[in-house]
Amino acid sequence: MPRVSQDQLEARRHEILGAARGCFARYGYEGATVRRLEEATGLSRGAIFHHFRDKESLFLAVAEDDAAAMVETVGRHGLVQVMRDLLDRAGASNDTAGWLGSQLEVSRRLRTDPEFAKRWAERSAAIASATRERLERQREAGVLRDDVPVEVLTQFLELAYDGLVLHLATGRPAGELSRVLDVVEGAVRRA
């Protein structure tokens, strides 16, 4: 039996995450049956669950992957850049982006699954922490307004993000949202 390298395993895992992201986005957690996951990935259930313990673990891995990418973007470029990236992804596709769909499914599971909410609290805290740290660095650099506490600015940006996700998720047109994000960014910057 040929040996599979760690790089090949990681590549396969990444492929599964990408296909599963789209499946969860399209059908929701419950609707993303194992059969649909097999179809989406082009793999057998054995191949999928060789990499992930079960469907719950696969969904959590998709959501964690998205959260990690978000934390990285927030840390480097801020939460407004995450919103711009989301807007770009939604505009580049006629369908709701898989990332957006997984965000909505996370939101739904947070409301309906107390165990999931407990496990997800750490990821949510990491995003909020990255946002606060970025804003504090911006304040120290003299770029951020100093008349409003960082915690309030963090909540303002989180609300803007949540509003953008809801807007896009309901299928409303992007319209002038790019310019709206300019206003959001301008609202936290020093005049």
Side-chain angles (χ1 to χ4, degrees):
M1 178 178 267
R3 295 190 65 90
V4 178
S5 74
Q6 189 60 37
D7 287 345
Q8 289 171 316
L9 287 173
E10 272 304 305
R12 175 58 55 96
R13 187 177 190 281
H14 184 72
E15 289 171 17
I16 293 169
L17 286 175
R21 177 179 290 106
C23 191
F24 286 125
R26 182 169 183 195
Y27 298 108
Y29 180 78
E30 282 80 17
T33 62
V34 173
R35 159 95 66 246
R36 284 181 170 154
L37 288 166
E38 287 175 319
E39 291 169 3
T41 61
L43 300 171
S44 69
R45 68 184 60 212
I48 295 169
F49 297 124
H50 170 76
H51 295 273
F52 302 93
R53 187 178 68 240
D54 52 23
K55 186 171 100 168
E56 172 84 11
S57 299
L58 176 56
F59 177 75
L60 193 57
V62 167
E64 286 174 341
D65 193 47
D66 290 345
M70 188 172 170
V71 167
E72 183 179 337
T73 300
V74 167
R76 290 178 177 214
H77 307 288
L79 189 54
V80 173
Q81 185 60 50
V82 171
M83 291 184 255
R84 290 187 193 286
D85 292 348
L86 178 57
L87 188 57
D88 289 345
R89 274 190 225 127
S93 169
N94 291 337
D95 192 16
T96 302
W99 186 84
L100 175 60
S102 69
Q103 291 294 296
L104 294 173
E105 189 60 26
V106 165
S107 297
R108 188 192 68 73
R109 300 268 325 266
L110 288 172
R111 290 188 321 278
T112 60
D113 184 343
E115 281 301 309
F116 180 82
K118 268 196 270 186
R119 287 192 307 271
W120 190 252
E122 185 179 314
R123 282 94 183 156
S124 181
I127 294 166
S129 177
T131 301
R132 274 191 307 279
E133 289 169 11
R134 167 80 178 172
L135 291 174
E136 287 167 359
R137 287 192 311 270
Q138 292 291 309
R139 181 165 280 166
E140 289 169 9
V143 176
L144 190 73
R145 62 188 298 171
D146 58 7
D147 61 327
V148 178
V150 166
E151 196 59 43
V152 172
L153 294 175
T154 300
Q155 287 182 324
F156 170 71
L157 291 173
E158 289 170 346
L159 284 172
Y161 170 80
D162 291 343
L164 177 65
V165 168
L166 180 62
H167 183 95
L168 295 173
T170 56
R172 292 165 50 199
E176 295 292 321
L177 287 179
S178 180
R179 292 182 65 200
V180 170
L181 293 179
D182 292 342
V183 172
V184 169
E185 192 166 26
V188 299
R189 293 201 177 274
R190 184 179 292 231

